[in-house]
Amino acid sequence: MQAEDFAVTAHGDQRYGERPYRDHLAAVVQVLRDFGYAGPYEAARWLHDVVEDTPVELATIAERFGPDVASMVDAVTGLGATRAERNVRIYVGIARDPRAAVVKLADRIANVEAAPIGSDHGARYAREADAFDSAVRPHVPAPMWSRLETALLQHRSAAT
């Protein structure tokens, strides 16, 4: 797939913990497949972190993959000096293009499922759950949301 090759090349030697970044991208792809998302979602799921984490610009995504994919990638791109600023930008982006909510949810599911129980990462996602819920949940199917809640429950249980 063109988007897969583009994303893997763009991320280069970047790591996701101890693993190649491709593993994270593939996990996001699988979550979206699990819920039947196709069309522009196919490219967006591979490209969701490219603008945020590499030198690739959004204009390049639009040129190579079209305006629908670029809009979804832009909506889930967290740019800013702090995590809070990055999250606000994403939530505003999802309000602008609600189709992107499932891409962001798939990303969050993949992140939470990959986070070791009791880890700082898992705890951070649990702390952010209310704001994430407000911005994302209205735009996603209930079964997909339930998968995130199940994963978060394990992290919340470990924190108590």
Side-chain angles (χ1 to χ4, degrees):
M1 171 184 244
Q2 185 182 13
E4 177 182 358
D5 292 341
F6 184 89
V8 170
T9 300
H11 284 284
D13 293 334
Q14 184 180 354
R15 307 293 289 174
Y16 185 80
E18 299 295 317
R19 307 188 65 130
Y21 204 80
R22 182 192 194 294
D23 290 1
H24 167 67
L25 301 177
V28 173
V29 166
Q30 188 57 54
V31 170
L32 284 165
R33 280 185 184 149
D34 290 348
F35 292 96
Y37 284 91
Y41 295 100
E42 292 180 40
R45 60 192 180 191
W46 283 107
L47 301 167
H48 74 277
D49 280 339
V50 168
V51 174
E52 183 175 324
D53 293 341
T54 77
V56 174
E57 295 183 3
L58 187 62
T60 302
I61 300 297
E63 181 181 300
R64 300 264 319 251
F65 301 99
D68 284 344
V69 172
S71 179
M72 284 192 282
V73 169
D74 185 38
V76 300
T77 296
L79 301 174
T82 66
R83 184 166 177 89
E85 288 175 8
R86 292 187 295 272
N87 284 341
V88 166
R89 186 190 188 283
I90 290 167
Y91 301 157
V92 168
I94 288 170
R96 185 186 71 254
D97 188 347
R99 298 171 305 163
V102 295
V103 176
K104 187 60 190 173
L105 179 55
D107 179 43
R108 182 60 56 99
I109 289 168
N111 286 330
V112 173
E113 289 178 348
I117 301 301
S119 69
D120 290 342
H121 291 296
R124 179 181 62 223
Y125 296 129
R127 284 191 308 274
E128 293 174 348
D130 289 341
F132 192 82
D133 183 315
S134 296
V136 176
R137 190 176 194 169
H139 309 292
V140 300
M144 194 172 179
W145 188 260
S146 292
R147 183 164 167 182
L148 175 64
E149 287 182 327
T150 298
L152 282 171
L153 184 60
Q154 295 176 328
H155 290 281
R156 287 185 180 124
S157 295
T160 57

